Amino acid sequence: MSSYLLEIIVLIGGLVLLLIEAFISPKQKFKVAYTGIFILGIALFCLFFAKKGFSTENTELTRFYAFDSLAVFFKGFTIVATILALLLSLEYRKTLSKFTANPDSEDGTGEYYCLFLFACAGMMWMASAKDLVSIFVALELTTITSYILVGFMRRNVGSLEAGVKFLILGALSTGFLVYGIAWIYGATGTTDLALIGDQITEKNSTYLLFGLALILISLAFKVGAVPMHLWIPDVYQGAPTPTTAFLSIASKASGFVIMIRVIEPFLDSELGSKVAFILAVLAGATILLGNLAAIPQTNFKRLLAYSSIANAGFILMPLAAWNAGNDLTSKEVVAFYLAIYLIMTFAAFFILVVIHRNTGSDDISAFEGLGQRHPVLALMTAIIIGALAGLPLTAGFWGKFLAFKMAVTGGLWVPVVLGFIGVAAGFYYYFQIIRAMYWRNSLDESPIKISPLSLNIIAVLTVIVVILGIWPQPVYWLVGG
Amino acid sequence: MASLNEFLFVSGLLFAIGLAGVIIRRNIIVIFMCLELMLAAASLTLVAFSRFHIHNGLPDYNGQVFVFFIITVAAAEVAVGLAIIVALYRARQTINVEDLTSMRG
Amino acid sequence: MDSFVPWLLLALPLLSAVAIHLGLKRNQAISAIVSTASAALTLILAIVLLLHKEDVHVAFNWISIGGFAGIKIGLDLDQLAKGMMLVVTGVGFLVHLFSLAYMKDDSAKARYFCGLSLFMFSMTGIVLASNFIMMFVFWELVGLSSYLLIGHWYEKDSAADAAKKAFLTNRIGDFGFMIGILMLWGITGHFTFSGLEGWAAAPTTFCATCLGIAVLCIFAGAMGKSAQAPLHVWLPDAMEGPTPVSALIHAATMVAAGVYMMARFFGALTPDGAELSALVPVFSGQTIAWVGGITSLLAALMATQQDDIKKILAYSTLSQLGYMVMAIGLLNPEAGMFHLFTHAWFKALLFLGSGAVIFACHHEQNIWKMGGLKKTMPITFITFGIGTLALCGFPFITSGFWSKEQILEAALNKNTALFVIAAFVAFLTTFYMFRLFFIAFLGKSRSDNADHAKEVGPLMYVPLIILAILALISGFQPVAQSIAPAYHHEGFHMGWAFGASILAVVLGFGLAFKLYKDAAEDPLAEKGIFKLFRNKFYLDEAYAKVVGYGQDTVAAFVHFFDELIISGFLVGGFSRAAGGIGRLFGRLQSGNLQGYAVLFGLGVLLIIYLTVFVS
Amino acid sequence: MSLILILIPILAAVAILMGGKAKSLATGAAALNLILGLGSVFSWNHGVWDLSLQVLSKPSIHLALGFYDGMSVIMVILSVLVLFTAVMSGKCPEGREKLWYSSILLIGAGALGAFLSTDLFFFYAFHELALIPTFLMIGMLGSGERKEAAWKITIYLSLGSIILLAGLIWLVAASGSETWLFKDLLASSIDAETQSGIAALLIIGFGILISLFPFHSWAAPAYASAPAPVAMLHAGVLKKFGLYGLIRLYPMVSIGMQDWLGWLIVLLLGNILWVGFVTINQKRLDMMLGNSSVMHMGYIFLAFAALVQAGSSEANPLAIPAAVVLMFAHGISIALLFMLTDTIRRKTGTVELAELGGLAKAAPRLAFLFGLGAMASIGLPGLANFSGEVLVFLSGFNGYTGNGLGCVQIATILALWGVVISAVYMLRAYRQTFQGPSVAHTNSDHVKDFGPFCQIPAAILAIALLVVGIYPNSLLHLLKKEPAPSLETEQASN
């Protein structure tokens, strides 16, 4: 059985969903989402319980497609993230339908769910892509879908503005990606990363590095690294919240997996130190800017956007301290970090949606008095926020911990120092939420309404965060494949 | 016949013009056209490399095939992009980028 | 001797204090009796131990740490300690007895006796301590009991303030004391007196100046406890406490602890009668002697113009302590101890006598409102008179004479200037004591309170009589030799010292007689230099200013800078800087797509530059 | 067994959050812990307390608990004592029992966890666990300027933890140790140059947590605003975490620390003298106590400086016992004082020194216990603090031979002046609060003394002070014993 059946399942599932969507009654559109979740569930099931059965042997696509542990992990990661994004969309559909076709029905929301599947298929392919061409195509599948997801609320100016900004800057970064690929191709005569790796020498280093720099620009855009981070705050704030969550988690993760694929041959070559240097610069700048710019924020969604920039910086750190040896590898650390980041960030976005539905606001001030309005939710929020800040005994700690450990072992002193400044600043801005929840009183003392679905999901994620905080080993089981 | 360097120079120039257009122009449609120009520049680079990369007496067609992918993707991008721009125009009655500053900071 | 008997000396008063605090205090009378009984028992034990000629040493580990010699709580009962024990328990018991009557109507009698027992415990600890750390422990504890007893009537602001002042002033002395102990430990490697003795017998090479400084630091402790100038200010204020407390703590025993400690210390440094000056440099001894001399002079001058009966006695105590310290400084600790021994009896007598007077006069303490007590309180009058004579050193028949003679002798031998001061102080002593005596006891009564005074009851006059007897006889060689043989008692010579002493007594008495025989008010008051004496050389005011402007202003300044610089500027600066940079980054996020494109372009250039052109 | 000690309060806290009877559950759990904790004195070096579970393989991190040595035992005893008394003190606002009691228990659990951990990571992590409820409690249920104070302590301590974490990661990375277990770490060595940097981070990181000058401005306002149990637990127990950590990790950076000896001495004198003067100028009882607790940290640092100068605990055998005894003593005494200050606040409605006076008349028991605490804190012999302080001073002069004074000796002498300073402010406060004539807030119609039952927690602390003060060997004996050979039961989880 060929392993790209997984992508095909998701892709065909998406098309089928589009068909179903066309014939389903406006009140029933949410069933599209459930069907989508079901399809993704099948894919996930196949991935985890039948992965031994997949192979890429003797297939035409082997040149473009890898099925290693990294790919398996990120495919699973993408599917889980998409499922959670769909669940989040279900919670968010009131707002969504308000700004689409007909506010009272759920007429315009159906396509929204389908799009996630296409994006998911693209990302799954990205996890396996090992040729610049397939990387480009998979990336664009995801990106173009994301444009629609961002600008989906066509009666909401913020969403449209975000869509346009994303579109222009995204297309700009695509231009750099293609141009970079062209130069690498020019220098090596191939787009196969494995073959490129063999041809990296000091002699053709200028062309190669020029091409690589252009590709890195594009990938930095994708993961939200400074100085290509500019779109993130605006787009995250304007986009529908499920899109924001999807972008900040799944999209960022696929950006990193591609980055790993692209830079791996360079880092293992004699140009390794140069590439590591530029990565270290990116990491340090990203951490510093992401964390410091988050301090004055008053909108929680925008805060999460800056936090997502900051996290990109933390993830870049282990890459800059490249280690492919048999101890803790950089790839493992990145995967580990992202796995934990997924749990925490989705929990945070679920909480945000709950708060938004109750107060109609994304501001930090909307959290005021939560400690009294819903103590359980407040407690869980506190734990999640603590995890995002990186408190020990929460899962969030371990990601940062491993990243720092890697960087310290690799001797990246400047990024490490900046990183610690960033974490300290992180405490400052994350704890503002806790302060709002517990130390401030809201004018509205009515209890917060929360759907059982959200409550359960947040509870499960919180429990996972705590358990992994004490016992992080299970993440390795997933990462190790 | 022109040398590789000349092709690369032209394509680089095109790319730079595209980038400059993105930076300078205020009309989103024009910006979008400039972006397409950048993609075209990249395509030209690829074709040039492909043409001058001789394998067994034949050019390496991998690069030229890639250009088709690029064109396809660009088309899809334009389709989606124009749809968003139209939606924006319907909502705001403007396609000037300077009016899109409701989110900042 | 059973090793448990010495422990009893410590345990009995402690048990009594604890028992009173934990439960007995509900019944005031039982509390008082328990406390007095414990004092009586310790007195008996002290006498038993005194008769037992051998030295006793017992100890247990208090702090033991591997690699460190450890600190023991140990009791050294040698002749020096036994003699002091007798003073402490003897005066202590009599004061307890006296207090039974004096504090009869006090509402917090239990607390008072609890404090007394605690004091007896602490003082016993000082006397028996086998090492400096233990001595420091009990040194502080007597400070605590003194604090508690001075502040017995804590609702009075003056009492509360006096208690605080006493404690703090002592703390300053203890600051030096601890440094001294530490330095001594560094130099000799020992805390224990026996260890010091061993070291002194065969000293390792050491820095003599350092030892001299260490000695002076240790002496600072004595200065605090024995109220030597300039740390003397607490003692007169301490008279806010009940009078029996003044007799016991602030006249006979605790304030003498400094002298005792120095004697103990110098004793340890001179094993087998070696010369102390072989080890301790001259400047230490000279400094100590001068501190003592100056204190005795200043205090005597101040005493001449006080009106409060207890204050006069307090300054006279200061002055006498100055004598003792001078003797220590002249490297003649035996003389100092001998004076301590005799002084304890007659000063306790004087204080208890004054207590009786105050009690009889309904807590009137101003001598100008007394007068004519000779008739109404004959026993008190006679015993007080004996005490006065003893304090003045009336030749041959009083104990004070013998001990003072020793000090004068020592001063004459070693330092003529100090001898002159000492002789002058002797004159002043006679003068102010007879001033007090004439005004309070003779003449006519000058207030209703004094009119209605009645002789006190037997619980109060019996201690007075016993003390009066001791004040007379304790200085005679046979008596002193049998009670306190350690207090070296040289034969008496007729000489300059004797002459000066006689002259001082005669002149002092004469002047007092002339000025105060029938005076109704002080003829010297408000006159030039006497005003200075009356106002204690304005030292208290000066100290208050130093504390007020020095310490409190410094504290206010420091507090201000703490808030401003450390909290506001340094730390606040960091957080403001972080926030400011954050806002700066936020400004880059202009929301304008073209701005983003420009920055994007710059970023591209930067990355390309860093990747391609930076090696 | 150690895990039980930590789990009891955590489970009780969970039960309270689920709706159990808050007060009785909390008291019961704390009492059980007290018994178990005190029981450990007799059994700690028998191995039954040890536990080791690997929770992460790369790097190798273990949930390893047990008594590493006598110092851990002493800190655990301190924790259970203060936890028990903290649960019983203070007054919970109506309707907030869940938060109040569960927070207290969690703080206690965190502190116990930190002192029981024999793995560097969990040592660090448990402390953080204790900090969060501390912040929350101060911000939510504190008094006065609670929000500002809580925000300040949150930011400061988080920053301190971060710097500390940086130091710890560097420490482990530089040591080359395979695991984060103390025993492996302490068996490894670090080259001298790296040590210096690590030592700096440790001093600053731990220093902020301990309120080392000039990182002390969080402490006093936080303690003044904190609910009594939180102030007791933080000032009494949690703050000792930093000192415990410094002493525990010291052997690994003993050479590097010497580069910072001068700074250390300047800073500790800042604590003692500078903050001492700040304390003198305080006008409120709670602020005064808060600052005094900052000041007294300087003495423990002095012992540490003596250790640093000597270079090893063999060269200065007094330093570590001195620090440990003083940590214990300070923990108990400051807990007692904070508890009683809260009592004063509730009984009289004020802690402004100017508005108090003559309270001893109406509340003699309170006056006695407060006096005992105050006397302990100014180092009166017979109470635990003196035993610690005298050892600190001795450790400062350890190795002094009488030829000129070294910097540690000079610091010791200046620190001794701090004893005078602390007597000044403490007696001034006591005089102002309890002595003199009664005023409106304190007359006996208005104020009732402690009931016999209410004074139990205070009495427990007072007894602890007395026991250690009268017989310091009771603690010191614990330090002398060798730890048990640790159980090699690594249950690998992969």
Side-chain angles (χ1 to χ4, degrees), chain A residues 315-330:
Chain A
I315 302 172
L316 280 169
M317 249 178 4
L319 286 181
W322 182 253
N323 174 20
N326 43 15
D327 191 29
L328 189 61
T329 64
S330 294

Side-chain angles (χ1 to χ4, degrees), chain C residues 111-188:
Chain C
R111 181 155 55 80
Y112 171 81
F113 276 99
C114 180
L116 276 188
S117 284
L118 182 63
F119 171 75
M120 293 299 286
F121 161 70
S122 323
M123 194 62 210
T124 309
I126 291 188
V127 174
L128 301 183
S130 70
N131 62 64
F132 263 122
I133 299 286
M134 174 177 170
M135 185 170 265
F136 187 84
V137 167
F138 286 97
W139 194 261
E140 291 271 301
L141 286 177
V142 286
L144 171 74
S145 30
S146 155
Y147 172 76
L148 293 175
L149 288 166
I150 296 171
H152 181 69
W153 293 306
Y154 59 82
E155 284 156 79
K156 262 166 60 186
D157 278 332
S158 55
D161 287 335
K164 193 179 84 176
K165 188 173 184 178
F167 197 94
L168 292 181
T169 318
N170 270 299
R171 264 282 154 123
I172 295 173
D174 294 348
F175 163 68
F177 192 12
M178 195 65 193
I179 295 173
I181 294 174
L182 292 171
M183 288 182 71
L184 190 70
W185 178 55
I187 296 167
T188 68

Side-chain angles (χ1 to χ4, degrees), chain A residues 332 372 391-392 397-398 401-402 405 413 420 423-424 427-428 431 434-435 438-439 470-473 476-477, chain D residues 55-59 61 121 124 128 132 135-136 139-140 147 150-151 154-155 159 162 166 170 180 493-494:
Chain A
E332 279 174 323
Q372 271 155 38
L391 285 182
F397 173 82
W398 291 109
F401 173 75
L402 289 184
K405 182 179 184 302
W413 298 114
F420 277 106
V423 173
F427 277 121
Y428 187 85
F431 282 2
I434 295 182
R435 178 161 70 157
Y438 284 112
W439 304 351
I470 298 165
W471 187 39
Q473 189 67 26
Y476 275 142
W477 301 345
Chain D
V55 298
L56 192 67
S57 54
K58 292 184 285 187
I61 288 175
F121 166 73
Y124 173 80
E128 296 283 301
I132 301 301
F135 303 153
L136 288 184
M140 292 170 74
K147 288 176 189 167
W151 192 232
T154 308
I155 296 310
L159 192 70
I162 289 297
W170 192 4
W180 280 54
S493 49
N494 195 352

Side-chain angles (χ1 to χ4, degrees), chain A residues 165 227 230 234 274 278 292 302, chain C residues 582 589 591 596 599 603 610 614:
Chain A
K165 282 180 179 170
L230 293 155
D234 294 4
K274 283 192 136 186
I278 185 72
L292 291 187
R302 204 170 172 84
Chain C
Q589 206 73 39
Y596 292 173
L599 289 173
L610 286 176
V614 175

Side-chain angles (χ1 to χ4, degrees), chain C residues 184-357:
Chain C
L184 190 70
W185 178 55
I187 296 167
T188 68
H190 295 285
F191 305 116
T192 56
F193 298 117
S194 54
L196 282 174
E197 232 166 86
W199 176 83
T204 48
T205 49
F206 67 97
C207 147
T209 317
C210 300
L211 184 64
I213 293 170
V215 167
L216 283 182
C217 284
I218 289 177
F219 172 65
M223 279 169 73
K225 198 71 40 187
S226 296
Q228 295 300 294
L231 299 182
H232 65 282
V233 286
W234 66 272
L235 186 59
D237 289 17
M239 297 301 133
E240 287 293 336
T243 310
V245 167
S246 310
L248 175 59
I249 302 184
H250 304 122
T253 56
M254 183 188 85
V255 288
V259 178
Y260 173 78
M261 184 265 284
M262 291 308 287
R264 182 106 234 184
F265 176 36
F266 282 175
L269 287 182
T270 52
D272 310 323
E275 263 309 301
L276 188 62
S277 45
L279 285 173
V280 180
V282 180
F283 73 89
S284 312
Q286 288 292 319
T287 314
I288 295 172
W290 275 103
V291 166
I294 290 169
T295 307
S296 72
L297 178 62
L298 289 182
L301 288 173
M302 291 187 250
T304 57
Q305 278 297 303
Q306 300 304 315
D307 295 335
D308 183 322
I309 185 166
K310 285 180 74 180
K311 285 268 166 77
I312 299 173
L313 292 177
Y315 282 107
S316 106
T317 307
L318 280 180
S319 169
Q320 299 301 310
L321 287 168
Y323 268 147
M324 301 175 207
V325 167
M326 188 164 82
I328 299 275
L330 296 169
L331 305 188
N332 196 345
E334 296 83 3
M337 280 310 290
F338 187 40
H339 195 56
L340 186 160
F341 176 70
T342 58
H343 173 258
W345 307 115
F346 61 71
K347 190 46 74 58
L349 167 62
L350 285 171
F351 264 109
L352 289 185
S354 78
V357 169

Side-chain angles (χ1 to χ4, degrees), chain A residues 62-369:
Chain A
T62 309
R63 205 191 118 191
F64 302 99
Y65 190 93
F67 194 68
D68 51 9
S69 62
L70 191 69
V72 171
F73 173 76
F74 276 101
K75 281 184 210 293
F77 181 94
T78 310
I79 296 172
V80 170
T82 315
I83 292 175
L84 284 168
L86 281 172
L87 289 169
L88 189 58
S89 318
L90 283 170
E91 291 298 297
Y92 193 70
R93 65 181 193 270
K94 281 261 159 54
T95 317
L96 206 58
S97 60
K98 187 170 145 197
F99 292 115
T100 50
N102 185 353
D104 293 327
S105 76
E106 292 182 11
D107 213 3
T109 59
E111 295 96 337
Y112 188 71
Y113 310 126
C114 309
L115 288 167
F116 280 113
L117 268 75
F118 297 125
C120 177
M123 288 170 179
M124 286 167 73
W125 193 276
M126 279 156 91
S128 286
K130 59 170 193 160
D131 182 286
L132 291 174
V133 177
S134 64
I135 284 175
F136 170 71
V137 174
L139 189 87
E140 284 309 304
L141 173 55
T142 311
T143 310
I144 293 172
T145 320
S146 308
Y147 297 154
I148 312 174
L149 283 171
V150 170
F152 195 82
M153 299 195 293
R154 59 178 182 273
R155 301 200 172 161
N156 179 304
V157 176
S159 176
L160 282 173
E161 183 181 325
V164 170
K165 282 180 179 170
F166 191 30
L167 174 72
I168 302 293
L169 294 173
L172 190 61
S173 96
T174 305
F176 282 99
L177 178 66
V178 177
Y179 200 50
I181 291 174
W183 276 90
I184 297 228
Y185 168 72
T188 61
T190 175
T191 53
D192 186 340
L193 283 165
L195 297 177
I196 291 172
D198 299 337
Q199 301 205 24
I200 299 173
T201 56
E202 281 290 347
K203 208 175 89 227
N204 57 359
S205 67
T206 310
Y207 297 118
L208 274 174
L209 285 175
F210 181 63
L212 182 69
L214 294 173
I215 294 180
L216 273 182
I217 287 162
S218 169
L219 293 178
F221 173 86
K222 194 79 186 157
V223 301
V226 173
M228 276 69 214
H229 67 286
L230 293 155
W231 61 283
I232 288 203
D234 294 4
V235 172
Y236 279 21
Q237 191 185 351
T241 306
T243 311
T244 310
F246 191 68
L247 281 181
S248 79
I249 296 154
S251 180
K252 191 186 293 285
S254 14
F256 274 110
V257 73
I258 287 184
M259 192 180 277
I260 291 174
R261 296 272 188 220
V262 172
I263 63 176
E264 196 175 359
F266 287 89
L267 285 165
D268 290 337
S269 76
E270 48 197 282
L271 297 179
S273 63
K274 283 192 136 186
V275 179
F277 169 72
I278 185 72
L279 286 172
V281 171
L282 286 182
T286 309
I287 291 170
L288 193 67
L289 188 139
N291 282 304
L292 291 187
I295 292 176
Q297 300 306 324
T298 54
N299 181 304
F300 185 54
K301 216 166 155 186
R302 204 170 172 84
L303 181 73
L304 284 175
Y306 279 107
S307 131
S308 126
I309 296 175
N311 278 304
F314 288 122
I315 302 172
L316 280 169
M317 249 178 4
L319 286 181
W322 182 253
N323 174 20
N326 43 15
D327 191 29
L328 189 61
T329 64
S330 294
K331 284 191 253 182
E332 279 174 323
V333 174
V334 171
F336 191 105
Y337 195 107
L338 283 167
I340 283 165
Y341 177 70
L342 173 132
I343 300 164
M344 303 183 303
T345 312
F346 259 114
F349 277 108
F350 270 99
I351 291 163
L352 176 66
V353 167
V354 170
I355 298 296
H356 185 85
R357 280 177 66 170
N358 279 275
T359 63
S361 159
D362 290 337
D363 283 346
I364 292 175
S365 58
F367 285 81
E368 285 173 5

